[in-house]
Amino acid sequence: MDDTEQRILDAALRVFASEGFTGATTRRIAEEANVAEVTLFRKFKSKKNLLKEVLINNRTVFSSMEDLFQLFQNEKDVNLETELRILGKNIAKAMRDKKKDSKRRMFMFMLFEEGRRRPEVSEALSSFLQMNIKPLSEYFDLQIKNGKMRTTNSRSAAITFVSYFVYTSLLREVFGDSFFGEHDEEIERFIDIFTKGILKAEEK
């Protein structure tokens, strides 16, 4: 990616965050990036494609997940619960780091809000989430094959795992940390429920 493309992506993030997808124009984004509008179209073809590239360019949480999966697959003797605890804490940390950037936070809120009304936004968000659920689903498939997990739908397990961190991050944004308590303690409780379930042994 060249400097011009990165400037356009950074500008698009800021404009989408402040104006929303509907209100943002390619002319405004080009002005923010200090490039000609024709340059924006030459690089990204359309506003819809630009939105997809902004999502890919801001996938910090999931990039760190992929690095962890590689590490886990090389450590055959590590306990699955320990691996998920490490993964969960890294996801939570990445999301907390992202919260410090108000533009990225506003951008994500825009996606969920406008995704309900704009098919192109919903499509871009869905594609992004699918792309990032896949490595976790494959990781769970590996653990099922290795006998560390019971046979279950790995994609549903991956969605459940990631959804917890996305949802709690949004709730913390609204209610603050006092709603949940200390991050690491809350993650410990979630990992315990996720890996062991809620039924007593005699009820299973």
Side-chain angles (χ1 to χ4, degrees), residues 4 10-12 15 19 24 29-30 50-51 70 76-78 89 97 106 113 127 153 160 178 182 192 201-202:
T4 300
D10 291 342
V15 176
E19 306 293 336
I29 294 169
L50 183 55
L51 176 64
Q70 293 298 319
K76 298 298 184 184
D77 296 329
V78 176
K89 288 181 179 179
D97 290 345
M106 291 168 62
E113 177 64 25
S127 175
N153 186 296
T160 300
S178 60
E182 202 274 329
D192 177 70
E202 59 267 27

Side-chain angles (χ1 to χ4, degrees), residues 133-134 136-144 149-161 194:
I133 288 295
K134 186 172 182 286
L136 183 54
S137 178
E138 291 174 347
Y139 171 72
F140 285 146
D141 278 332
L142 177 65
Q143 304 315 313
I144 293 170
M149 281 179 64
R150 68 179 177 85
T151 301
T152 189
N153 186 296
S154 59
R155 185 172 181 275
S156 294
I159 291 172
T160 300
F161 192 87
F194 184 83

Side-chain angles (χ1 to χ4, degrees), residues 11-202:
L13 172 67
R14 293 192 296 272
V15 176
F16 284 143
S18 60
E19 306 293 336
F21 180 81
T22 303
T25 65
T26 52
R27 176 178 294 181
R28 176 73 185 87
I29 294 169
E31 289 174 353
E32 181 74 14
N34 197 27
V35 299
E37 190 175 13
V38 68
T39 302
L40 182 152
F41 280 108
R42 188 173 68 249
K43 298 284 188 181
F44 297 101
K45 310 301 182 188
S46 68
K47 186 167 75 166
K48 178 181 174 180
N49 285 341
L50 183 55
L51 176 64
K52 290 180 179 179
E53 290 300 321
V54 171
L55 277 166
I56 292 170
N57 195 53
N58 288 275
R59 59 193 300 263
T60 311
V61 171
F62 299 100
S63 296
S64 64
M65 284 171 62
E66 290 172 357
D67 292 341
L68 285 165
F69 297 147
Q70 293 298 319
L71 172 65
F72 292 162
Q73 291 178 28
N74 292 329
E75 298 288 336
K76 298 298 184 184
D77 296 329
V78 176
N79 180 273
L80 175 59
E81 189 172 347
T82 300
E83 291 181 341
L84 291 177
R85 187 177 294 110
I86 294 169
L87 178 60
K89 288 181 179 179
N90 276 272
I91 294 173
K93 181 181 183 302
M95 297 193 81
R96 289 199 301 273
D97 290 345
K98 185 168 287 191
K99 278 178 65 177
K100 295 174 184 176
D101 187 328
S102 62
K103 289 298 181 185
R104 283 182 172 81
R105 186 170 70 247
M106 291 168 62
F107 174 70
M108 293 308 296
F109 275 110
M110 179 278 293
L111 288 173
F112 284 106
E113 177 64 25
E114 292 207 25
R116 297 183 302 164
R117 300 188 302 270
R118 298 295 300 262
E120 59 269 55
V121 177
S122 176
E123 180 186 335
L125 182 57
S126 175
S127 175
F128 173 72
L129 292 173
Q130 295 283 2
M131 176 177 63
N132 292 304
I133 288 295
K134 186 172 182 286
L136 183 54
S137 178
E138 291 174 347
Y139 171 72
F140 285 146
D141 278 332
L142 177 65
Q143 304 315 313
I144 293 170
K145 181 180 178 181
N146 289 342
K148 291 185 176 183
M149 281 179 64
R150 68 179 177 85
T151 301
T152 189
N153 186 296
S154 59
R155 185 172 181 275
S156 294
I159 291 172
T160 300
F161 192 87
V162 171
S163 295
Y164 166 80
F165 293 98
V166 172
Y167 186 62
T168 54
S169 178
L170 291 173
L171 287 181
R172 284 181 187 276
E173 184 68 28
V174 176
F175 299 110
D177 289 342
S178 60
F179 186 82
F180 290 96
E182 202 274 329
H183 282 83
D184 285 352
E185 290 181 5
E186 181 62 32
I187 291 170
E188 292 287 344
R189 289 191 286 267
F190 167 70
I191 295 299
D192 177 70
I193 294 170
F194 184 83
T195 56
K196 296 182 176 67
I198 61 171
L199 296 181
K200 289 185 175 181
E202 59 267 27

